[in-house]
């Protein structure tokens, strides 16, 4: 009778529990099939604590295990857990040789920190950070023990390193002055997989300033003063609203190619500029837009086939720029010489030569030259 009862119980379990579950497990379709990857954070429930391992229920992913070094490192976290308690846990091996998902509790705290900074970003909250370091690209700080980076481009005008020649050593020296200071910032980029946390001081711009900016529109011509120069352009403070500071990109300073901002403006210059763009409280302006375009009438002065005198302005890898007058520059291509070294042997920067205009394309602001032999 005991044997009969055993077999009855076995076949009941097989037919009513094992087979239905197996059948369900074999229903592999797009909605049921999923895979774990190293580094994934999964929700788990504690099943059992054993002397050399701790087991977790991972639901559809099976059973997870924490053992060895990971178990040793997780002792403090495991002390407070009891069977059935939920916890987020990190995958370090989707399937080990025993069929378990190997897990780590070591970085759970760090993952929670990353989740915290993600929430701060989503809420758009302004937070205060202490600057702990600097390099030529920006500043370093920490938010809930996670290293954060504040790029130079995300500093407000008050803290931007306004170095005339763009010298990286000078920029770094200016940035180092901010070490130890508290700055108000917003989080603008979070990526826990690449350990990237980017913050911005610009984004905390005073709402009153944003309101003032909204009083202007694209196309307005405004009076202002050059408040700073950098290798990429010049800062422009509005005369009627000094709290507003816009940027004139180097390409918007003049119709000719500019290598150094100081060729056109210097700090303290009073200028008029045209508003080209207003976006997120930031203003982009142009001096070039208020100047007559010399290329509009270039064909009145120059023709294809014409011989002209020009001065070598500067070299670059694909040729040399030639100043034909105060506003117009032509280009002689390096292929005319066979190489950069040979080009520099035949022509010198600052010297004048006779050229022949090979082609003229005013719409592209391009004059191609050949050296008269």
């Amino acid at each position: 009778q005991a044997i009969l009862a055993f077999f009855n119980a076995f076949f009941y379990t097989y037919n009513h529990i094992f087979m239905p579950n197996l059948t369900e497990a074999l229903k592999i379709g797009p909605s049921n099939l999923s895979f774990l990857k190293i580094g994934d954070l999964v929700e788990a429930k504690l099943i059992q604590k054993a002397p050399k391992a701790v087991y977790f229920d991972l639901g559809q992913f099976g059973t997870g295990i924490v053992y060895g070094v990971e178990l040793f490192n997780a002792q403090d976290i495991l002390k407070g857990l009891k069977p059935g308690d939920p916890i987020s846990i990190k995958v370090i091996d989707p399937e080990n040789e025993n069929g378990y998902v190997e897990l780590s509790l070591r970085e759970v705290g760090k993952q929670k920190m990353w989740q915290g900074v993600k929430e701060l970003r989503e809420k758009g909250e302004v937070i205060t950070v202490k600057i702990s370091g600097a390099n030529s690209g920006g500043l370093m700080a920490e938010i809930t023990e996670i290293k954060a980076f504040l790029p130079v481009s995300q500093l407000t005008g008050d803290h931007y390193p306004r170095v005339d020649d763009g010298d990286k050593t000078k920029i770094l020296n200016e940035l180092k002055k901010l070490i130890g200071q508290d700055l108000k910032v917003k989080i603008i980029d979070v990526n826990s997989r690449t350990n990237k946390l980017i913050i911005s001081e610009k984004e905390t711009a005073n709402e009153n300033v944003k309101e003032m900016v909204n009083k202007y529109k694209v196309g307005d011509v405004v009076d202002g003063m050059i408040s700073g120069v950098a290798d990429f352009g010049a800062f422009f403070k509005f005369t009627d609203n000094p709290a507003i500071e816009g940027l004139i990109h180097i390409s918007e300073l003049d119709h000719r190619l500019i290598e150094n901002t100081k060729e056109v403006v210097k700090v303290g210059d009073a200028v008029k500029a045209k508003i080209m763009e207003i976006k997120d409280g930031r203003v982009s302006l142009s001096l070039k837009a208020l100047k007559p375009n010399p290329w509009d009438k270039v064909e009145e002065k120059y023709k294809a086939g014409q011989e002209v005198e020009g001065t070598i302005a500067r070299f670059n890898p694909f040729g040399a720029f030639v100043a034909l007058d105060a506003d117009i520059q032509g280009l002689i291509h390096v292929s005319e010489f066979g190489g950069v070294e040979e080009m520099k042997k035949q022509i010198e920067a600052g010297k004048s030569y006779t050229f022949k205009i090979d082609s003229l394309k005013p719409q592209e602001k391009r004059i191609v030259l050949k050296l008269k032999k």
Side-chain angles (χ1 to χ4, degrees):
Q1 288 181 348
I3 294 172
L4 183 60
F6 170 79
F7 279 106
N8 284 337
F10 173 80
F11 284 115
Y12 179 89
T13 302
Y14 182 85
N15 290 320
H16 292 83
I17 299 175
F18 178 75
M19 279 302 294
N21 288 341
L22 178 61
T23 303
E24 189 64 27
L26 291 174
K27 290 179 181 176
I28 299 175
S31 61
N32 293 352
L33 185 62
S34 56
F35 300 95
L36 287 177
K37 301 185 297 296
I38 293 174
D40 280 351
L41 200 64
V42 295
E43 294 302 314
K45 288 184 180 180
L46 177 63
I47 298 174
Q48 180 187 8
K49 296 180 186 178
K52 295 184 178 180
V54 176
Y55 299 91
F56 291 88
D57 178 10
L58 304 181
Q60 64 176 317
F61 301 118
T63 302
I65 186 172
V66 175
Y67 69 102
V69 175
E70 294 297 338
L71 179 60
F72 178 79
N73 290 329
Q75 291 301 316
D76 290 341
I77 298 173
L78 290 169
K79 281 179 184 177
L81 285 181
K82 58 183 183 294
D85 282 353
I87 188 170
S88 293
I89 199 162
K90 187 176 181 180
V91 176
I92 57 175
D93 186 348
E95 185 177 4
N96 68 11
E97 58 186 9
N98 296 316
Y100 292 112
V101 179
E102 286 189 28
L103 305 166
S104 171
L105 283 164
R106 183 170 30 179
E107 296 188 26
V108 170
K110 192 171 183 180
Q111 293 288 348
K112 289 182 178 178
M113 292 177 189
W114 280 104
Q115 185 59 39
V117 295
K118 285 180 181 178
E119 290 174 1
L120 287 173
R121 184 197 175 192
E122 289 167 1
K123 293 176 182 176
E125 290 190 15
V126 176
I127 53 180
T128 301
V129 297
K130 186 177 289 293
I131 302 303
S132 58
N135 59 37
S136 58
L139 301 166
M140 278 74 81
E142 281 192 1
I143 300 174
T144 61
E145 299 182 24
I146 298 176
K147 295 185 183 300
F149 184 63
L150 200 170
V152 171
S153 61
Q154 293 299 323
L155 287 168
T156 61
D158 292 338
H159 294 134
Y160 191 90
R162 298 177 181 183
V163 177
D164 291 349
D165 54 6
D167 186 279
K168 289 186 177 181
T169 302
K170 292 179 182 178
I171 290 174
L172 179 57
N173 289 336
E174 289 299 311
L175 291 174
K176 283 181 176 178
K177 295 176 183 178
L178 296 171
I179 294 176
Q181 290 190 30
D182 289 336
L183 297 183
K184 291 186 181 299
V185 300
K186 281 187 177 183
I187 297 170
I188 59 173
D189 194 9
V190 178
N191 190 325
S192 59
R193 288 186 180 275
T194 58
N195 288 317
K196 183 170 71 172
L197 176 56
I198 308 297
I199 54 179
S200 169
E201 186 189 26
K202 264 186 180 181
E203 293 297 319
T204 64
N206 190 297
E207 292 300 324
N208 291 332
V209 172
K210 289 185 178 181
E211 288 180 13
M212 284 188 277
V213 167
N214 289 332
K215 295 178 182 177
Y216 299 90
K217 63 182 184 298
V218 172
D220 284 351
V221 176
V222 292
D223 291 301
M225 182 188 74
I226 302 299
S227 54
V229 293
D231 56 352
F232 56 81
F235 293 96
F236 174 96
K237 277 198 173 182
F238 286 46
T239 300
D240 57 349
N241 273 313
I244 302 175
E245 188 173 53
L247 176 69
I248 306 171
H249 191 268
I250 191 168
S251 63
E252 292 296 331
L253 290 171
D254 202 274
H255 289 285
R256 62 189 172 91
L257 291 172
I258 304 297
E259 281 197 321
N260 190 324
T261 306
K262 292 193 292 183
E263 293 177 32
V264 182
V265 293
K266 63 181 184 296
V267 175
D269 283 354
V271 296
K272 286 183 180 290
K274 184 176 181 178
I275 295 176
M276 306 302 289
E277 183 182 53
I278 298 174
K279 184 178 181 181
D280 298 329
R282 293 188 286 271
V283 186
S284 299
L285 306 105
S286 173
L287 295 184
K288 180 174 74 175
L290 298 179
K291 299 177 180 180
N293 186 351
W295 288 91
D296 289 342
K297 298 182 178 181
V298 70
E299 290 178 302
E300 296 178 7
K301 190 173 182 180
Y302 300 108
K303 308 286 183 185
Q306 179 182 348
E307 291 187 2
V308 291
E309 291 295 315
T311 303
I312 305 301
R314 61 184 180 278
F315 295 106
N316 62 34
F318 53 83
F321 286 101
V322 181
L324 301 180
D325 56 42
D327 300 308
I328 301 296
Q329 288 186 343
L331 173 71
I332 183 165
H333 200 270
V334 67
S335 60
E336 293 293 315
F337 305 94
V340 175
E341 294 303 319
E342 185 60 31
M343 176 176 67
K344 291 183 177 180
K345 287 180 183 178
Q346 294 191 38
I347 55 178
E348 297 179 36
K351 285 194 174 182
S352 296
Y353 301 88
T354 301
F355 298 89
K356 182 180 179 180
I357 296 177
D358 186 57
S359 65
L360 176 63
K361 299 179 179 179
Q363 291 184 339
E364 298 177 18
K365 296 184 178 181
R366 182 187 294 270
I367 295 179
V368 178
L369 304 168
K370 290 183 178 294
L371 184 66
K372 184 181 178 183
K373 304 297 183 182

